[in-house]
Amino acid sequence: MFVHLDFVEGVANDRSGVRYVARQAKPEGIISTKNQVIRYGKEEGMLTIQRFFLIDKSAIDKGIQMVESSRPDAVEILPGVIPKVINRLSEQTSLPLIAGGLIETLDEIQEALDAGAVAASCGSKKLWNSEV
């Protein structure tokens, strides 16, 4: 069992809160987006998973820095399956969907469009005037 400490109400995201969960619930490990929680979990001998929301290039860079700092046992990255999510949302709403974040190739743009996005937003200048 892993406990996602960011979602546990009434338990602080500090050393004493992590210690309490480790000693009372005795999970195999914890999940958190917070560096210090990961470090405290490791101090308590638990496996740790650091969670990231990868919304753009700067989030990736920041995530890498966080991993180097906290040294978790594993990393959970979100979003995991963008085309699937785009498809699901396009079926549930009539609003136009624009795919953005982490788009680096024309193939990725095409996958987003095929899944139901009407456009793609990207920071890579090499893709700005491309046609798919």
Side-chain angles (χ1 to χ4, degrees), residues 99-118:
L102 304 176
I103 296 174
E104 298 177 347
T105 68
L106 287 174
D107 287 342
E108 291 169 335
I109 293 172
Q110 190 62 57
E111 287 174 8
L113 295 174
D114 291 344
V118 297

Side-chain angles (χ1 to χ4, degrees), residues 11-64:
V11 176
N13 285 325
D14 61 12
R15 182 174 273 119
S16 63
V18 173
R19 183 179 304 126
Y20 177 82
V21 169
R23 295 178 185 180
Q24 296 302 312
K26 299 179 181 172
E28 187 169 346
I30 59 168
I31 302 169
S32 181
T33 58
K34 297 170 177 60
N35 275 5
Q36 77 274 9
V37 172
I38 297 300
R39 286 193 294 268
Y40 300 150
K42 292 190 81 55
E43 288 174 9
E44 291 296 322
M46 292 185 288
L47 293 173
T48 57
I49 300 173
Q50 184 132 22
R51 189 178 211 208
F52 293 100
F53 295 94
L54 301 179
I55 57 171
D56 58 21
K57 175 84 168 84
S58 66
I60 292 174
D61 295 341
K62 175 92 172 153
I64 291 168

Side-chain angles (χ1 to χ4, degrees), residues 64-82:
I64 291 168
Q65 291 173 355
M66 289 175 68
V67 167
E68 290 173 351
S69 170
S70 63
R71 303 223 178 257
D73 295 296
V75 176
E76 178 185 12
I77 58 171
L78 296 99
V81 285
I82 292 298

